[in-house]
Amino acid sequence: MSKLPARIRLAAAAFALFDERGYEQTTIDDIAERAGLGRTTFFRNYRSKEDVIFPDHDRLLALIRDRLATSSHSTALVAVSDAVRLVLLHYVEEGDLARRRYALTSKVAALRDREIASVGRYQRLFREFIADWMGGPTESASLRAELMAAAVVAAHNHVLRRWLRGESSDPVAEVDEAMREVLALFPAPGSSPAPGGGTTVVAFRTGQDIDTLLPSLRRLVEDGAER
């Protein structure tokens, strides 16, 4: 354990103590002592006891901003889906730590409130990006951006909770499918059927090869042309 970075040692010690004694009964000094570190080292890595529990939201939000910033108007929706996937992958890579956090925040009201507040930061970031993508600051565009951002975050959280509860064996595939359903509800601003009809295809990453996908894509296009 001593060879692990201090941040990881502190987190492991904290969750072990939370399990043994309960969240409220565990102090910062307890965590530092269990990790074999000093109080000063604790505060170099975390601002508070609560910070040990939650992921580095500032870093995750920065990753989202970077991904969204690389998009163009025509690839904005793909960027949103990629950003959602980035967040989900972070939790999946945490593995058991993410599940222990979920169990803890489900029991401690103050932690649950903080988690809800952190969700608001993600929704605000998506809302601002989507509003800019939609163009003019009209009341209608503002409402659509708010609704779309809420749907994006809700889709991510739905899949994440399923994985945390052990109900999803492939959360990445599930979140991609969830995002396809969300984005289908919100056509691109100013989009309208081309004279004589037309087809728009929005592409997402998949593990399937192109020969497998083509029949499904052809059926989708043909179904759309009949409507």
Side-chain angles (χ1 to χ4, degrees), residues 126-206:
F126 282 119
R127 184 190 68 231
E128 291 170 354
F129 174 77
I130 293 166
D132 183 64
W133 169 67
M134 287 185 169
T138 64
E139 184 176 344
S140 175
S142 177
L143 175 60
R144 283 171 58 79
E146 190 75 63
L147 292 172
M148 187 171 177
V152 165
V153 171
H156 168 271
N157 290 346
H158 173 77
V159 174
L160 175 60
R161 282 192 296 268
R162 278 180 44 76
W163 175 75
L164 290 169
R165 294 191 296 256
E167 298 169 0
S168 172
S169 60
D170 192 350
V172 175
E174 280 197 26
V175 85
D176 284 346
E177 176 59 30
M179 287 305 301
R180 279 192 285 270
E181 292 191 27
V182 168
L183 298 183
L185 299 173
F186 299 92
S191 63
S192 59
T199 300
T200 299
V201 176
V202 178
F204 295 86
R205 291 189 181 92
T206 176

Side-chain angles (χ1 to χ4, degrees), residues 18 49 64 98 121 138-139 149 168 212:
F18 296 154
K49 182 172 72 171
I64 292 176
R121 297 176 65 191
T138 64
E139 184 176 344
S168 172
T212 303

Side-chain angles (χ1 to χ4, degrees), residues 114-127 153:
R114 176 165 170 170
E115 185 71 0
I116 291 170
S118 71
V119 169
R121 297 176 65 191
Y122 290 88
Q123 186 167 324
R124 182 166 58 252
L125 178 56
F126 282 119
R127 184 190 68 231
V153 171

Side-chain angles (χ1 to χ4, degrees), residues 1-18 26-54 97 100:
M1 184 175 179
S2 60
K3 294 182 180 180
L4 294 172
R7 187 177 181 87
I8 294 176
R9 290 165 61 189
L10 287 164
F15 275 95
L17 287 167
F18 296 154
T26 300
T27 68
I28 287 173
D29 288 334
D30 293 335
I31 296 169
E33 182 180 356
R34 175 66 66 90
L37 299 166
R39 186 180 176 88
T40 301
T41 302
F42 178 94
F43 284 109
R44 284 200 199 103
N45 289 273
Y46 298 103
R47 291 171 295 185
S48 66
K49 182 172 72 171
E50 291 81 4
D51 280 346
V52 181
I53 298 165
F54 295 100
L97 176 61
R100 293 172 77 181

